[in-house]
Amino acid sequence: MARPERRTVRDLRKGNRAVLLRALYFVGPTSRHELTALTGLSAATVSNVTGDLLADNVIVEAGLVDSDGGRPRVLLRVNPVYGYAIGVDVGETHVRVELFDLDMNEKAKAEYALRPGGHEVELVVRHILAGIEAVLADSGVAPGQVLGVGVGVPGIVESGPDALIHAQTFGWDSVPLGALLREGTSLPLYVDNGAKTMGQAELWFGAGRGSRNAVIALIGSGVGASIITDGVTYRGANSSAGEWGHTKIALGGRTCRCGGRGCLEAYIGAEAILERAGLPLDTATEQAQLAELVRSGSPVIDETVEYLGAGLANLINLFNPERIVVGGWAGLTLGHHLLTKIKKAAAENCLTQPFSTASIVLGRLGPDAVALGAATLVIEEFLLSNTAAPAREAAAL
Ligand SMILES: [Zn+2]
């Protein structure tokens, strides 16, 4: 039988450090007094650990706030320039690389167009590495100040040192993207599915903020979902959970890009909508084409709303989320004009009780937040492990 793990003093300090850093990151400027109430840690622990964090420059003082009759209290916050995070969006039509400070202010950006069907692995790797060089040069940030590079890609990402990617729509079958990138950069790498990274961005900074159980439903050319259960992204056994676009909505229905039939994506994915309307496919004009279909009240759009409503109802019946955030460029185009109809269609296909406790809202970060989302992978690791800690703690013990 496995022995219960013994928590050492160092584990405990590291755990307290992560709890306080997380609170400061998500709540913003906070006094030590408030931190005690927020985290349940003792005043002495808050004082010791914030002292360590200040000494390491991970957090900084951020002014004073009045306390009731007593001495003004010092506000603390995460130091926005303690380090930087790079986020990469590998999309259907572009590779976009952005560099952020810890407040997620964009400091530099590089973008490379991909032609339709032009997703050769070597080309994408070359663009990502060139983008990292470019944002470092433009921002003047030294590589040593970068906490890591997060990469959001389409398809299924197997967690592991190689970050194996299975993206059928890109023609990528077991592509070891992590290993390929490591040949060109020594920065820490975090690779995940783009829908999951954007889901995390909406959860942390956008329409999902404050919810513990949410689904972020993303509709662009592809259709995917990020499922958040108790504040954490649900991944499943091999990280493929959330392939909402390939759940079946019509038995033996339209052929999907995955090769299957009757998938939700084959009805509500942007290209599928245009195809069903008999329009030619052109990535340069598809956003305008979809907007025009919505504006003109096309029957294809009415039908799309029905399929989307059924798809959302399936999510609500399966996961009982308190909130569904609809995002992605096509999702936002549909949602901005048709949210009431989409909700009605969802209600008609959903069990009454879970529907009544779920709200359906639109994403707030816009359609281009994949790179920001990818950068949250770096921040997540920073909040968990916070690199400056171990050496100091080892010295202190
Ligand atoms: Zn499919």
Side-chain angles (χ1 to χ4, degrees):
M1 191 196 278
R3 277 203 184 152
E5 251 183 65
R6 281 186 59 196
R7 276 170 63 86
T8 63
V9 177
R10 184 174 155 178
D11 288 338
L12 207 62
R13 279 175 79 99
K14 212 169 167 185
N16 291 342
R17 192 174 165 106
V19 165
L20 285 165
L21 194 57
R22 208 172 170 83
L24 284 166
Y25 190 75
F26 288 109
V27 179
T30 314
S31 70
R32 291 178 179 82
H33 182 78
E34 282 176 292
L35 282 170
T36 308
L38 274 171
T39 61
L41 295 172
S42 72
T45 300
V46 168
S47 176
N48 283 338
V49 178
T50 55
D52 284 352
L53 287 165
L54 279 165
D56 290 338
N57 206 26
V58 179
I59 64 172
V60 288
E61 294 188 347
L64 299 168
V65 66
D66 281 340
S67 65
D68 300 329
R71 276 193 307 159
R73 290 182 177 133
V74 177
L75 292 175
L76 302 172
R77 56 163 298 170
V78 171
N79 179 1
V81 294
Y82 172 77
Y84 296 83
I86 293 176
V88 179
D89 167 14
V90 178
E92 303 268 341
T93 58
H94 60 254
V95 171
R96 189 178 291 143
V97 181
E98 296 175 44
L99 183 141
F100 301 92
D101 66 16
L102 295 186
D103 276 349
M104 304 320 269
N105 295 310
E106 187 193 289
K107 296 295 180 187
K109 176 178 169 176
E111 186 164 335
Y112 306 88
L114 296 173
R115 51 183 176 70
H119 303 122
E120 296 84 2
V121 179
E122 299 74 23
L123 178 70
V124 170
V125 167
R126 211 160 56 233
H127 284 333
I128 295 174
L129 293 173
I132 293 171
E133 296 280 325
V135 295
L136 287 173
D138 288 356
S139 62
V141 168
Q145 294 175 279
V146 176
L147 300 171
V149 180
V151 186
V153 294
I156 295 164
V157 180
E158 275 187 52
S159 54
D162 288 350
L164 284 182
I165 298 177
H166 312 273
Q168 280 173 250
T169 55
F170 266 32
W172 288 13
D173 182 18
S174 296
V175 169
L177 187 68
L180 293 170
L181 288 172
R182 255 201 314 280
E183 287 171 17
T185 179
S186 55
L187 292 170
L189 290 164
Y190 309 92
V191 184
D192 204 348
N193 169 276
K196 288 196 180 75
T197 69
M198 200 155 147
Q200 183 148 291
E202 283 286 355
L203 183 76
W204 284 15
F205 309 117
R209 216 181 148 106
S211 56
R212 300 288 301 168
N213 294 283
V215 178
I216 291 72
L218 297 169
I219 308 161
S221 299
V223 173
S226 176
I227 298 152
I228 315 291
T229 58
D230 205 19
V232 177
T233 304
Y234 177 73
R235 292 171 188 283
N238 292 298
S239 300
S240 83
E243 289 291 342
W244 178 50
H246 303 286
T247 55
K248 306 302 176 191
I249 200 88
L251 210 57
R254 284 172 55 81
T255 303
C256 178
R257 295 194 299 175
C258 73
R261 294 173 73 94
C263 296
L264 182 64
E265 182 174 305
Y267 293 87
I268 70 166
E271 286 163 17
I273 298 173
L274 299 180
E275 237 175 57
R276 282 166 45 236
L279 293 169
L281 296 183
D282 178 356
T283 47
T285 56
E286 62 186 4
Q287 304 208 7
Q289 284 176 312
L290 182 65
E292 176 54 25
L293 275 183
V294 171
R295 197 200 55 76
S296 65
S298 158
V300 170
I301 296 297
D302 292 340
E303 198 182 66
T304 303
V305 166
E306 296 299 319
Y307 282 113
L308 172 55
L312 295 176
N314 289 342
L315 290 173
I316 296 173
N317 283 342
L318 276 172
F319 298 108
N320 181 208
E322 62 199 276
R323 203 175 305 169
I324 288 193
V325 178
V326 177
W329 71 264
L332 292 172
T333 302
L334 293 167
H336 278 309
H337 294 88
L338 301 161
L339 190 59
T340 308
K341 285 187 178 174
I342 292 167
K343 286 180 183 173
K344 184 165 171 281
E348 284 167 3
N349 289 290
C350 196
L351 291 171
T352 312
Q353 198 278 338
F355 183 80
S356 69
T357 56
S359 59
I360 300 176
V361 300
L362 294 184
R364 282 201 207 128
L365 299 179
D368 295 326
V370 174
L372 172 73
T376 67
L377 300 172
V378 179
I379 305 293
E380 191 170 37
E381 185 58 28
F382 160 70
L383 294 176
L384 272 176
S385 63
N386 182 232
T387 48
R392 276 184 58 78
E393 282 177 3
L397 285 174

